[in-house]
Amino acid sequence: MSSLTLALLMVGVVLATACLGSPLIRAAAPTLMRFPRLAVISLGASLMLWMASVIAAGLFLAWSLTGPSPLPEPMAEVCRRCLDASNPFSSGMAAESAVPSVVFLAAPALAVAVVAAVGLRSVLTRRRRLRGTCRSLLPSGRRETIGGRTVTVVADPQPSAFALGRGCGIVVSTGLLEALSAPEAEAVVEHEAAHVRERHHLILDVIESLTGPLRWIPFAAAIADSVPHYLEISADRAAQRRVGTRPLASALLTMGQDSHERRSAARHLGPDRMMLASGPERVRQLVRPADPRRGALGAAAIVALMTVLIVTSSAAHGAALAAVLSGCVL
């Protein structure tokens, strides 16, 4: 098999993951919902692995194709020497191309750098918005203890609760305290405490910063939509272990009656996460979790794709790193 064939196969796997990753994530949902923490870690790692594989595909193409260099001669010679030193394929197998090899190196790396820069800007914007939310809400609320946890109670007729992270804590509305019984309110606070304790805000910052500029890619969009859902399930399970199923399920059903208003508020708050997707679906996961075997095939397919990307990406980046460390640029 020629190096160009291998390069095209690598590109094909990257494109296949971008397109097929979304339906596979949906197919694997019953399995992922039973292991929400593992699902979040796996999906986040899969996204970063896919981005690394985009750069690896560029390396494969640069090794397999030669063409005119837009660089000045000394720089072009150094670039070619590095490519030759890192190329794990046999020499003399490269095909001629009208596209300079440096394009296959620079374009993927530049794209990933742009995504990282845009994502970082988005994170900073959400952080500023969070600080503004804390400054506006906390002074106007009163401190109260619910289930042994200190929360800020704000005047709002809508029954809502959300975590503002470790710096600002948990906020609940007067409407929530009026709509729920004491055990139900404690269950809601335990849910939000799990968000704070497990640093779900930081996880969402990382995921949203990476997926924001990549929403047009089905795989990235599916991860962006799935991770918040699995974080909610993880927080539900934590609250369930502490207060039991009945009060949490009852609270979810009550709060689900106005879930549309809370989703709108959550989008406005940015990084602040309320108890989203309340109601029958969340209750069903508490009372009768989905059979994980239903999603086994989808999960296995995702693992297979990720394994291919790990092997090929490691080979590409490992060879390039070894060449650089050996002094190919000197």
Side-chain angles (χ1 to χ4, degrees):
M1 184 179 292
S2 69
S3 60
L4 180 58
T5 302
L6 288 172
L8 293 177
L9 286 175
M10 177 64 181
V11 172
V13 172
V14 170
L15 293 177
T17 303
C19 298
L20 299 178
S22 178
L24 290 179
I25 289 174
R26 289 196 299 269
T31 299
L32 298 178
M33 282 189 288
R34 290 299 296 270
F35 310 99
R37 291 185 184 179
L38 180 60
V40 170
I41 294 172
S42 300
L43 291 174
S46 296
L47 180 62
M48 288 186 280
L49 174 61
W50 183 83
M51 295 175 67
S53 298
V54 171
I55 298 178
L59 275 169
F60 270 82
L61 288 172
W63 287 330
S64 306
L65 299 171
T66 61
S69 176
L71 302 174
E73 184 57 34
M75 292 180 61
E77 178 60 27
V78 171
C79 181
R80 174 49 56 188
R81 189 164 67 246
C82 269
L83 281 175
D84 291 340
S86 62
N87 191 346
F89 305 115
S90 301
S91 59
M93 295 180 66
E96 290 293 331
S97 169
V99 181
S101 298
V102 71
V103 171
F104 299 113
L105 293 173
L110 179 61
V112 171
V114 169
V115 168
V118 173
L120 178 60
R121 181 180 178 183
S122 177
V123 168
L124 295 177
T125 299
R126 287 195 296 272
R127 292 289 97 188
R128 287 195 298 269
R129 191 179 300 169
L130 173 61
R131 289 193 294 269
T133 301
C134 292
R135 287 194 297 266
S136 64
L137 282 181
L138 298 188
S140 63
R142 69 175 189 271
R143 306 292 280 177
E144 189 170 318
T145 300
I146 299 177
R149 299 189 183 278
T150 302
V151 302
T152 300
V153 181
V154 297
D156 184 352
Q158 295 293 336
S160 60
F162 49 96
L164 294 173
R166 294 200 171 189
C168 301
I170 300 168
V171 176
V172 301
S173 69
T174 53
L176 177 113
L177 299 182
E178 293 170 359
L180 302 182
S181 66
E184 291 170 345
E186 182 179 350
V188 171
V189 171
E190 286 296 339
H191 171 100
E192 298 302 337
H195 281 317
V196 176
R197 183 175 59 255
E198 297 175 10
R199 296 182 177 272
H200 289 174
H201 291 74
L202 296 180
I203 295 173
L204 286 174
D205 276 345
V206 172
I207 295 298
E208 292 179 359
S209 66
L210 293 176
T211 58
L214 300 174
R215 273 279 186 172
W216 55 278
I217 298 173
F219 181 53
I223 291 175
D225 293 337
S226 298
V227 166
H229 181 59
Y230 293 129
L231 291 179
E232 292 297 326
I233 293 177
S234 178
D236 280 347
R237 300 279 172 81
Q240 185 183 31
R241 288 191 294 269
R242 289 178 177 267
V243 302
T245 301
R246 185 181 296 274
L248 178 59
S250 179
L252 287 172
L253 288 173
T254 300
M255 298 181 71
Q257 296 174 0
D258 64 325
S259 59
H260 175 73
E261 287 82 358
R262 285 197 308 284
R263 278 193 289 268
S264 299
R267 283 194 295 268
H268 174 71
L269 288 172
D272 314 329
R273 288 298 181 268
M274 299 184 184
M275 295 184 70
L276 303 180
S278 302
E281 177 58 30
R282 292 265 297 280
V283 173
R284 189 178 301 112
Q285 290 303 316
L286 289 171
V287 177
R288 185 178 296 177
D291 185 350
R293 291 174 296 182
R294 289 172 46 201
L297 187 59
I302 293 175
V303 170
L305 272 177
M306 291 305 109
T307 300
V308 173
L309 291 182
I310 288 173
V311 172
T312 53
S313 184
S314 298
H317 291 291
L321 180 62
V324 171
L325 293 178
S326 67
C328 72
V329 296
L330 299 179

